[in-house]
Amino acid sequence: MAERPFFSFHFHKQSHTPIYVQLADQLKTAILRGAFLVDGQQLISLRDMKTVSGCSLETVKKAYDHLALEGWLEAVHGKGYYLTTLAKEARLESRLPLTDIPIASLADSSPRPGEELVKRLRGAFYDSLTVLDEPSAQKKIRRTQAAKVFADHLKRRGLPHSPERVLLFNRSTSGFAFLAQRVMNPRDVVYVEEYSYPVFLRLLSQCGITVRPIRLDEEGVSIEALDAEQEHYPANWLLINPHYHFPTGISYSLKRKEELLAWAERHSVRIVENDHYGDLWFEEPSKPIYEMAFQQKSPVEVYYLHSLSKTLARDLQLGVLMLPADFSEEELERYRQIVSMTGAEPSLLVVEAAVRLLDDPWFSEVYLADRRALFQSRFLRLWKEKNHALPAHARMYPITGGLNTWIEWGTPTANATELEERVVAILREEGLELTCGHAFRVADEPADTKRRPAVRFPLAPLEERELKHWLYRLGAALLR
């Protein structure tokens, strides 16, 4: 493959512009920078570009043909696509340096699915096509059966086996949107971790819900900070990510989970337990709070949100919401009808394909085990290098699962955002794209808030050797 294979592509799937046109537009920029060219004359093969961009072979072919129609490329039968005179002249007139774009992006932590999984997914989709022709009554039965399979999968995670409490969504964000729009009230106050999932924070804000960030310590959300906040802004909800916290990677201790459940009972607060990374643990985490509430017959309503996009495939978006254990059948049925009416249910074709995978012992016993081992290996490599790569004033968080670690440096300061952006800008000039810590904080936090500057460092997008290289470059940037 030609130079610069890690050019950072960004696709906006909600845009009216087709993906192949977005890819073609970005390839123009890449060509001007000399990226992906063989001997400066030929664009890399369709298959190589498929690997680099993450797009399908069909999408890449359409993008190349689109550039051919615009006069940038010429297709030579049996050889590939070559730059035209127009493209060569554009390069001479507008030649751009390679150093001003990222060649590697750690902005997205989603892993690509393994080859064997993709192969099995294709087969599962093909075998599931018959569901499209079935009558509505049979489709309803299939969704009921699917809920049992998803409940079987969650049981491995420690959740009580309750298919009747399972709601399936076309992604976990839709499951949370359902809670924010249909269960929470506009005047509710929701406590969130000081670093949280930006999409959820925006959803709460759009629904008119008050969001209050709560400080984290090494065991999770601080009970002391909860008590202090409760005196000023009494909470209705507590939104937490206790297993492999996004984005810091902290795993809540069992003791802290017990304290949080007791705290929620004292203050009549409902809990949303978000399991962002789903099944990607290195060491199986302690009991979910949902399970603890169930076993203790706690009066606290716990909603458990589980994502499958990280374990199946990013674009095969599936989310599971487990409703509280004490809901009546009438309440459960009402919620099921609301989900169906709002169009947040996943396609039955997607559900059936996922069911075939989840029901296959290979998925849980082989594939997930391999994925966990892969990401654990990458983290352990970084952990081994951290003392050599990072300066003494920096700290990498230890993790026991998930897809990223967290790196802080310096001392608490009100200028943390500026320091983060400076370091990220340095690395961007060298070719790496990272996400600043402030991207995960509540948007309207006070300007004088003191914290340590930080960046998220994902494990998934790059190979071990590349992650090691960029860890050292980050360490060098922290000394500048």
Side-chain angles (χ1 to χ4, degrees):
M1 189 181 294
E3 64 176 326
R4 300 290 180 180
F6 291 100
F7 180 93
S8 181
F9 290 101
H10 297 276
F11 301 107
H12 302 284
K13 295 183 180 178
Q14 307 304 319
S15 170
H16 295 299
T17 304
I19 296 297
Y20 80 90
V21 176
Q22 295 183 45
L23 175 58
D25 288 343
Q26 292 179 63
L27 281 175
K28 285 184 182 179
T29 302
I31 289 170
L32 293 177
R33 289 173 164 86
F36 310 129
L37 297 180
V38 179
D39 297 328
Q41 303 291 324
Q42 180 184 5
L43 210 52
I44 61 174
S45 71
L46 297 174
R47 292 194 177 278
D48 281 348
M49 184 55 69
K50 171 182 180 292
T51 300
V52 169
S53 66
C55 296
S56 69
L57 199 61
E58 179 186 7
T59 298
V60 174
K61 176 72 163 57
K62 290 174 71 174
Y64 277 34
D65 288 342
H66 185 78
L67 288 176
L69 285 173
E70 291 194 340
W72 278 65
L73 296 178
E74 178 184 3
V76 178
H77 183 69
K79 292 186 177 181
Y81 289 78
Y82 288 79
L83 299 188
T84 62
T85 301
L86 172 67
K88 291 175 184 176
E89 290 177 351
R91 284 200 66 205
L92 290 173
E93 293 174 4
S94 308
R95 199 179 191 98
L96 298 171
L98 279 166
T99 53
D100 68 352
I101 58 166
I103 60 170
S105 177
L106 292 179
D108 184 0
S109 64
S110 298
R112 292 179 179 173
E115 290 184 10
E116 180 63 22
L117 179 69
V118 172
K119 176 182 174 182
R120 292 180 183 237
L121 267 175
R122 286 197 189 102
F125 273 110
Y126 180 81
D127 293 340
S128 302
L129 285 172
T130 54
V131 305
L132 300 177
D133 297 324
E134 291 179 347
S136 297
Q138 181 59 35
K139 290 179 179 179
K140 186 174 182 180
I141 291 172
R142 282 193 179 275
R143 288 194 182 275
T144 301
Q145 293 170 337
K148 181 182 182 305
V149 173
F150 279 86
D152 289 341
H153 180 69
L154 293 178
K155 186 179 179 182
R156 301 187 189 104
R157 174 66 185 83
L159 276 290
H161 192 264
S162 306
E164 70 280 3
R165 303 187 188 284
V166 169
L167 294 181
L168 298 181
F169 289 87
N170 51 27
R171 50 185 176 166
S172 58
T173 302
S174 296
F176 185 75
F178 171 80
L179 288 175
Q181 296 167 357
R182 306 287 175 172
V183 184
M184 297 177 183
N185 295 310
R187 294 183 180 180
D188 280 353
V189 174
V190 179
Y191 288 176
V192 301
E193 296 143 328
E194 61 177 331
Y195 292 98
S196 193
Y197 188 35
V199 176
F200 286 6
L201 297 179
R202 286 196 294 270
L203 274 168
L204 291 171
S205 178
Q206 290 166 6
C207 292
I209 294 168
T210 300
V211 178
R212 302 296 298 178
I214 305 297
R215 175 172 51 85
L216 289 164
D217 59 31
E218 293 186 356
E219 292 188 74
V221 157
S222 165
I223 301 296
E224 178 182 300
L226 284 172
D227 285 335
E229 191 68 21
Q230 188 71 10
E231 292 183 8
H232 304 286
Y233 295 92
N236 305 98
W237 295 83
L238 174 63
L239 167 61
I240 51 175
N241 192 168
H243 307 299
Y244 306 111
H245 173 255
F246 178 90
T248 69
I250 289 173
S251 289
Y252 284 32
S253 67
L254 179 61
K255 177 186 176 185
R256 182 58 51 86
K257 292 178 183 179
E258 291 171 342
E259 291 172 340
L260 286 173
L261 189 59
W263 181 89
E265 183 174 346
R266 286 197 305 273
H267 297 285
S268 300
V269 171
R270 288 180 279 184
I271 295 177
V272 180
E273 182 179 20
N274 180 30
D275 206 350
H276 183 82
Y277 288 121
D279 306 291
L280 292 175
W281 62 72
F282 313 152
E283 299 173 16
E284 189 167 354
S286 57
K287 291 180 181 180
I289 295 176
Y290 189 105
E291 180 186 7
M292 294 164 58
F294 179 82
Q295 291 177 342
Q296 298 173 18
K297 295 182 170 52
S298 169
V300 177
E301 288 185 9
V302 182
Y303 296 77
Y304 176 87
L305 193 60
H306 187 87
S307 173
L308 286 159
S309 63
K310 304 293 189 295
T311 48
L312 289 173
R314 178 174 54 186
D315 294 330
L316 187 70
Q317 294 180 327
L318 274 173
V320 182
L321 179 64
M322 286 280 286
L323 296 173
D326 61 349
F327 273 24
S328 67
E329 180 54 42
E330 291 76 15
E331 289 176 300
L332 296 174
E333 180 58 30
R334 181 170 67 87
Y335 280 127
R336 283 193 288 266
Q337 290 179 5
I338 292 174
V339 174
S340 178
M341 288 188 297
T342 55
E345 282 186 318
S347 158
L348 188 56
L349 182 60
V350 172
V351 170
E352 279 295 301
V355 160
R356 290 172 188 270
L357 274 178
L358 296 178
D359 220 12
D360 185 344
W362 169 85
F363 179 74
S364 59
E365 296 171 12
V366 178
Y367 182 73
L368 280 183
D370 287 347
R371 298 294 271 181
R372 291 168 185 152
L374 172 66
F375 296 123
Q376 182 180 35
S377 171
R378 290 181 180 177
F379 171 70
L380 291 177
R381 178 66 178 270
L382 294 178
W383 189 254
K384 181 180 178 181
E385 298 290 341
K386 65 177 175 43
N387 291 336
H388 302 290
L390 301 176
H393 68 276
R395 175 197 178 195
M396 176 188 290
Y397 277 38
I399 61 173
T400 56
L403 287 171
N404 59 265
T405 184
W406 190 251
I407 297 174
E408 289 183 338
W409 66 91
T411 57
T413 172
N415 298 322
T417 295
E418 296 173 20
L419 296 175
E420 290 167 351
E421 290 178 344
R422 182 184 68 83
V423 167
V424 167
I426 291 172
L427 289 169
R428 189 175 181 84
E429 289 179 0
E430 295 190 13
L432 178 69
E433 187 173 46
L434 279 176
T435 304
C436 295
H438 72 83
F440 305 100
R441 298 184 71 86
V442 174
D444 58 353
E445 75 174 4
D448 60 352
T449 299
K450 289 189 175 183
R451 61 182 181 85
R452 298 182 75 193
V455 292
R456 183 184 65 158
F457 203 90
L459 310 174
L462 307 179
E463 299 297 326
E464 276 189 22
R465 61 181 177 80
E466 293 161 328
L467 290 172
K468 175 184 173 183
H469 168 79
W470 289 116
L471 184 67
Y472 275 85
R473 297 313 305 153
L474 171 60
L478 297 183
L479 292 173
R480 289 171 63 179

